Amino acid sequence: DVDDPTKDEIVCVKQFRPPVDAYTIELPAGLIDADEDVASAATREFEEETGYVGEVASVSPNASYLSPGLTNESASLVRLEVDMTLDRNIRNHESRKLSDGLEGCEKDRGLEKLLLPRVGLLEALHGLQEEEGVKVFTALYSLALGMSVSETKRGSKTVNDTPHFPLVHLELEDDDRNHPTSATAHQVTSALRDTGFLVIQTPILPLDLQRRALKSASRFLASSSNSNVVTRHPSDPKTYAMLEGVNSIPDSSLMNGDLREWYEALRVTRDVLLRAIAMGLGMTSSSSPDDNDVPDHSPDYFVNLHNENNDAMRLLNYPPGDENTGNRCKEHSDYGTLTLLLTDGVGGLEAYVDGAWRAVPHVEGGVVVNIGSILGEWTRQELKATLHRVAGPASAGISSVSKEVLVGAVARTRTSIAYFADPNGDVSTALEQGRIGGENDDGSKGEVEDGNGMSVSDYIRWRSGGEGEARSGVAFTSTDASRLGNGRGETG
C-alpha cells in the first residue's frame, strides 16, 4: 500500500524442522524442477506453500550462496506481489489460519502460512522468538534487519518518520549537564506543537536496557509475589502495576534491578526533554546549576518544577483478544506534563490527529513521548495534550489502520511501560494562565478558574479518579471533549 505501508504484509511459512528440533519461520522456498526457470518455480512453490497466487515483480540476476564455507547450495531471490482483488486470494486470505490453501505434501507436513507486517517486521520476528521459541531463517532475518535500518534511518520517508510522529534523536551539548542542543529543542517542541507526539532515540535509554525492562515488566506482572500491587483495570481489558517512585520497586531480584535502572534513566530523559521544551519555547536565560531561584525564562525552569520526582511508572499487560475486541485502553489524554512509553512493538497505539485515529509507529530502540494536560495548560495549548488509545478491531471512529491489522495485533499479548512525570505536588496547574475544566463521567464539571489555583496533587486526583491503583482515568478536560467531537471521533 503506497499510502500506508503499515497495511503491507510479508507472506512467511512456519514449519517444524527436525535438524534444529524446533519450529522455524521462513520465506516460502523450494527446488527448481529440471524443466523450470526461476520465476516459474517461485510462483509454483509460493502457491503450493501458501495458497496464494502471486505475480513476479523481480528476480535476482544471480544466485546467492547460503553457506559457502560449508556447501555450494545457492538460492535465487524472487519478489512476488499478491493481488488481493482475485477471488482465489481473497478466499485463501480469509482462511489463512486454517491453511486451507495448502495442497498435497505441503499440507501433510504441517506447513502453515503466516502473515507478518512489512513495517515492523524485525520486531514481529523478535516477538515470535520470545513468545513461541521459534527459530528464524537467516535470509528472512537479514531482510527484516535491512528493512528496520531503512525505517529508522535519519531522514527516512517511511511511516516511522512521518510529519505526524517524527523520530527525534536527542543530541546533547558536551557539557556533562544533559543539556539538549538547540536543534534537538526545536525538533521536540515542533512535534509537540503539531500533534503532541513524537518518538525519541537516545543513548540514555539504550536498546539493551529497553529489552531488559520489558522482560522484567512481564515477569513482574506474572509473579505471584507481586499480586498485592498488580490489579485488573476497572474498565479496560488489561492488568497493571503502578510503581510510584524508584523506591517502590522491591530490590530483591535482578528483574527488579532492571526496572529500577529503567526508572532512573527515564528521570534523566525527562529532564532533557523538559529543558528542550523550555528552550523551544524561548526560555533561554542563563542560571547557575546551584541557583535555587531559577529565573522564569531559564531552560531549567520546568526541571525545577519537577525536582521532587513526583512521578510514577505503570507496567501494563494486555491479554490477547479477538475480532470483537474494542479498545484495549480507552480514549484519554494524560494528566501531567510528560509521558514516556516503551512498548514491545505490538500494534494498536493510536493518536487522534487531524480528525482521525492514526497509528503511532513502533521504532526499535525508540520511546514514544507525549505531553499531558498540565503542560498544555501551562503553554496556553501551544503544546498539545493529544487524545490517544490502544485500539482493537472493534474500536469506534475513523482509523488509519485496517481492521485486519488490528485483528493481528490483538491476537498477541501486549506489554508496555508508561512513565508519567508530574510537577511538584504544590505547584499550580494554571500558573499564570488559563482555565482547566472538564466533565466527569457522572456529569459533574470539576472546573477550576484561574484564580482558584488547583494544585497538581488535587488535579491528578480529579483527572484520574483517585490515587495509586485507583488511577483509572474517569475525566476528560473540556479541551479533550471539543477535540474528540462526539466522544469517539466518528465525525472527524
Side-chain angles (χ1 to χ4, degrees), residues 423-470:
N424 300 342
D426 60 353
V427 173
S428 170
T429 54
L431 291 185
E432 297 179 354
Q433 67 275 348
R435 165 176 173 164
I436 302 173
E439 184 170 297
N440 299 318
D441 284 349
D442 63 2
S444 60
K445 290 295 182 182
E447 294 179 346
V448 176
E449 296 291 338
D450 186 20
N452 290 346
M454 179 182 276
S455 70
V456 165
S457 297
D458 289 341
Y459 180 74
I460 296 297
R461 275 193 293 272
W462 165 64
R463 281 293 317 274
S464 65
E467 295 179 335
E469 293 181 0

Side-chain angles (χ1 to χ4, degrees), residues 31-33 35-47 56 59 78 80:
L31 299 175
I32 302 175
D33 292 342
D35 59 346
E36 286 183 311
D37 58 24
V38 172
S40 299
T43 304
R44 174 182 55 77
E45 286 286 349
F46 184 69
E47 185 173 356
V56 175
V59 180
V78 180
L80 297 173

Side-chain angles (χ1 to χ4, degrees), residues 162-175:
T162 65
H164 291 125
F165 311 108
L167 173 62
V168 176
H169 300 262
L170 294 189
E171 297 180 352
L172 305 179
E173 298 286 2
D174 187 21
D175 61 2

Side-chain angles (χ1 to χ4, degrees), residues 275 277-285 295-302:
R275 289 189 181 100
I277 292 168
M279 292 167 61
L281 293 173
M283 303 166 71
T284 56
S285 299
D296 288 352
H297 295 286
S298 164
D300 287 329
Y301 179 69
F302 291 136

Side-chain angles (χ1 to χ4, degrees), residues 192 277 281 302 334-338 370-386 429-430 433-436 459 477 479 483:
L192 297 179
I277 292 168
L281 293 173
F302 291 136
D334 292 334
Y335 319 145
T337 47
L338 283 176
N370 64 281
I371 72 164
S373 53
I374 289 178
L375 188 53
E377 288 294 326
W378 282 357
T379 63
R380 297 180 176 88
Q381 307 303 328
E382 180 177 348
L383 306 186
K384 295 180 174 63
T386 303
T429 54
Q433 67 275 348
R435 165 176 173 164
I436 302 173
Y459 180 74
T477 67
T479 302
R483 285 177 181 164

Side-chain angles (χ1 to χ4, degrees), residues 263-285:
Y263 207 136
E264 294 284 11
L266 288 168
R267 284 180 168 174
V268 175
T269 308
R270 171 202 66 194
D271 288 352
V272 172
L273 289 167
L274 288 172
R275 289 189 181 100
I277 292 168
M279 292 167 61
L281 293 173
M283 303 166 71
T284 56
S285 299

Side-chain angles (χ1 to χ4, degrees), residues 240-360:
Y240 67 92
M242 180 69 86
L243 306 174
E244 298 187 337
V246 175
N247 293 332
S248 68
I249 306 173
D251 57 4
S252 57
S253 70
L254 177 63
M255 166 187 72
N256 294 339
D258 290 334
L259 291 175
R260 293 168 72 92
E261 184 180 354
W262 180 246
Y263 207 136
E264 294 284 11
L266 288 168
R267 284 180 168 174
V268 175
T269 308
R270 171 202 66 194
D271 288 352
V272 172
L273 289 167
L274 288 172
R275 289 189 181 100
I277 292 168
M279 292 167 61
L281 293 173
M283 303 166 71
T284 56
S285 299
S286 62
S287 63
S288 167
D290 299 321
D291 188 356
N292 293 322
D293 186 19
V294 178
D296 288 352
H297 295 286
S298 164
D300 287 329
Y301 179 69
F302 291 136
V303 173
N304 190 57
L305 295 179
H306 292 74
N307 58 17
E308 294 177 0
N309 287 325
N310 183 26
D311 52 17
M313 187 169 75
R314 180 180 281 189
L315 315 181
L316 295 135
N317 175 272
Y318 301 82
D322 55 31
E323 62 181 9
N324 297 314
T325 300
N327 289 338
R328 301 173 94 177
C329 178
K330 64 177 174 291
E331 301 95 341
H332 67 285
S333 65
D334 292 334
Y335 319 145
T337 47
L338 283 176
T339 300
L340 283 76
L341 178 70
L342 175 65
T343 78
D344 58 4
V346 175
L349 178 62
E350 297 180 342
Y352 193 67
V353 178
D354 293 339
W357 291 102
R358 302 183 185 277
V360 179

